[in-house]
Amino acid sequence: MSMAESFSQSGFAKFINSPTGRVMRIVVGLVLVGYGYTQSASTSGIVLMLVGLVPFAAGLFDWCLISALLGGPLSGALIGKTPPKS
């Protein structure tokens, strides 16, 4: 079993790609961007805003970056689905 397949069957993958997990990623991203904005006079504030865009975009577009990094599908909707046999 590949790492991507192992990840897709984990409870974490199932949660993070559920509707609740997507909302959580969006909220966390917005919080990071908002806090970074309050600190935008510093370099760390700008970096924090840029970092916050990652979970925000992942939740908004239903991307699973962990799966993609492990060699699985980028789309959250495809996590845990078996690919068609050829």
Side-chain angles (χ1 to χ4, degrees):
M1 178 181 296
S2 73
M3 288 178 38
E5 291 170 334
S6 178
F7 171 75
S8 71
Q9 294 175 2
S10 71
F12 177 73
K14 291 175 183 172
F15 168 72
I16 207 71
N17 290 299
S18 70
T20 305
R22 286 185 67 190
V23 169
M24 186 188 74
R25 287 184 282 167
I26 292 170
V27 169
V28 167
L30 288 174
V31 167
L32 288 172
V33 169
Y35 183 71
Y37 182 75
T38 66
Q39 307 297 317
S40 62
S42 67
T43 304
S44 60
I46 293 168
V47 169
L48 197 54
M49 286 190 289
L50 293 173
V51 168
L53 291 176
V54 174
F56 175 74
L60 188 66
F61 297 115
D62 194 18
W63 293 336
C64 186
L65 301 175
I66 297 171
S67 174
L69 288 172
L70 295 174
L74 178 63
S75 172
L78 299 177
I79 303 294
K81 306 259 190 297
T82 55
K85 304 265 180 185
S86 50

